Amino acid sequence: MSDTNFSGLSVAGTPISGGVYPYFGAQGKVFFVCSSAAKYAYTHALYPPVKGVTRVFLQDATHNGIQSAIDACRDGYGDVIMVEPGYFLVTTQIVLNKNRVSIIARKPGRRNTVLFGGSASYGAWTSDLLKITAGYFNIVGLSFYSYSTTNSAILCDDAGGGGDYGGFGQFIDCTFPPEGGGVGSEKYGVDVKGANNIDFINCEFIGQLSGGIRFRGGVGNPINPLVKECRFIGCVSGIEVASAVYNGVMDDCFVGTATYPAGMSITQGILSNGGGGEWAIRKCHGSLTAANFVQGIGITTIGDTSGGYTQLT
């Protein structure tokens, strides 16, 4: 396989080529990350180094292979990191600091490819599992679990300098589950700090202690977020708005209380926690009353003919 294109690779039967996902570049290199020494040896034999460039990395208790793959990427070239199926223990925070990099589960689907930081067995996690400070990224088909009551699974941070830093990215088909079927043990699924134009498409957030997604100010305030076809189950809030957020869209989402695992309830769909801004709500539904769907002051909403939200009874 060439080291500079996507020939022969597919995700769920769809070839990976320039333009399949909005921010892919056609010239990117492809790297692989495996969860065990046996899988690493097998994949390394399939994709040996090319021109001295290692293409396969191991992620385990002593190897931070995803970070090594990111470090091997070239900034702005559309490189792709394919994560093989498995459970990946993360012991050191992963930092995505290269623009136009995509991290994709080779086998999409609920919990086929899980990155977890800490657990009841391994102990608490003390930082965000993945920190994104670059722009134009795609995170596709991965599950993230952070065993922390004070941090999030993912932080999108515009601290790199504003503008495109930490922005113009997509989370597609990602899951943020509770550990071991218990009530949530992480503060937020994704914490968006000032980053602009972040899309969440077909993602699932279960049992976060404060909210599935938080939008807050960083160097700037987040604008143009899209939350589409996502499920917020047993989170305290689906979305928490902690700064001015403009041109937000919440489309065809579900918010509700979980019957399994037990003890996970949701209080509001969108919570203003010192923030505000404008949100368009369309075709959302769930177990909350319409009056409880949007809570707090400062948020202006527009909706479809039903007000954008329908309670399921």
Side-chain angles (χ1 to χ4, degrees):
M1 187 182 107
S2 167
D3 67 326
T4 58
N5 62 44
F6 302 95
S7 60
L9 281 179
S10 64
V11 173
T14 301
I16 298 299
S17 57
V20 171
Y21 293 106
Y23 307 132
F24 276 5
Q27 301 301 314
K29 295 178 180 293
V30 181
F31 301 94
F32 301 87
V33 180
C34 303
S35 61
S36 69
K39 290 180 181 178
Y40 168 80
Y42 175 79
T43 308
H44 190 271
L46 290 176
Y47 305 106
V50 173
K51 299 177 182 178
V53 177
T54 298
R55 297 191 289 170
V56 182
F57 301 91
L58 175 62
Q59 178 80 38
D60 61 13
T62 57
H63 299 86
N64 196 355
I66 295 176
Q67 187 64 62
S68 297
I70 292 170
D71 295 343
C73 291
R74 299 167 298 171
D75 187 52
Y77 275 77
D79 290 345
V80 174
I81 299 169
M82 302 292 292
V83 184
E84 298 293 333
Y87 280 70
F88 295 80
L89 174 62
V90 179
T91 57
T92 303
Q93 183 184 60
I94 300 167
V95 179
L96 177 55
N97 55 4
K98 303 284 183 70
N99 292 295
R100 298 187 184 275
V101 169
S102 297
I103 305 176
I104 307 173
R106 187 72 179 273
K107 184 180 180 182
R110 274 190 180 184
R111 308 189 189 187
N112 284 326
T113 309
V114 180
L115 276 64
F116 69 96
S119 67
S121 301
Y122 285 100
W125 183 249
T126 57
S127 66
D128 305 293
L129 188 63
L130 170 63
K131 181 178 180 180
I132 301 174
T133 60
Y136 298 95
F137 61 85
N138 290 281
I139 310 295
V140 183
L142 293 163
S143 293
F144 297 88
Y145 175 74
S146 174
Y147 192 71
S148 170
T149 59
T150 57
N151 296 96
S152 306
I154 298 175
L155 171 65
C156 291
D157 194 350
D158 70 348
D164 296 346
Y165 290 91
F168 292 90
Q170 291 196 121
F171 296 92
I172 304 172
D173 299 334
C174 291
T175 303
F176 299 83
E179 189 243 358
V183 176
S185 301
E186 65 190 7
K187 196 166 179 64
Y188 299 96
V190 180
D191 187 6
V192 180
K193 183 182 176 185
N196 297 325
N197 297 278
I198 303 295
D199 298 346
F200 297 88
I201 300 173
N202 194 34
C203 294
E204 186 172 69
F205 300 84
I206 305 174
Q208 281 73 31
L209 293 173
S210 293
I213 306 169
R214 174 169 67 168
F215 294 97
R216 61 182 171 120
V219 175
N221 285 322
I223 61 172
N224 304 328
L226 170 64
V227 183
K228 182 178 176 64
E229 298 175 356
C230 293
R231 295 161 299 285
F232 301 92
I233 301 170
C235 315
V236 173
S237 304
I239 296 172
E240 180 181 313
V241 179
S243 67
V245 178
Y246 293 99
N247 307 323
V249 175
M250 190 176 186
D251 183 18
D252 200 11
C253 293
F254 173 85
V255 295
T257 296
T259 56
Y260 178 81
M264 293 161 49
S265 61
I266 192 163
T267 305
Q268 54 267 319
I270 299 180
L271 169 67
S272 174
N273 185 9
E278 301 168 343
W279 283 82
I281 312 297
R282 179 176 180 268
K283 294 196 303 182
C284 292
H285 47 277
S287 61
L288 295 172
T289 65
N292 287 334
F293 181 70
V294 178
Q295 293 285 303
I297 61 175
I299 295 180
T300 301
T301 62
I302 59 175
D304 55 23
T305 55
S306 67
Y309 175 79
T310 302
Q311 182 182 11
L312 300 178
T313 57

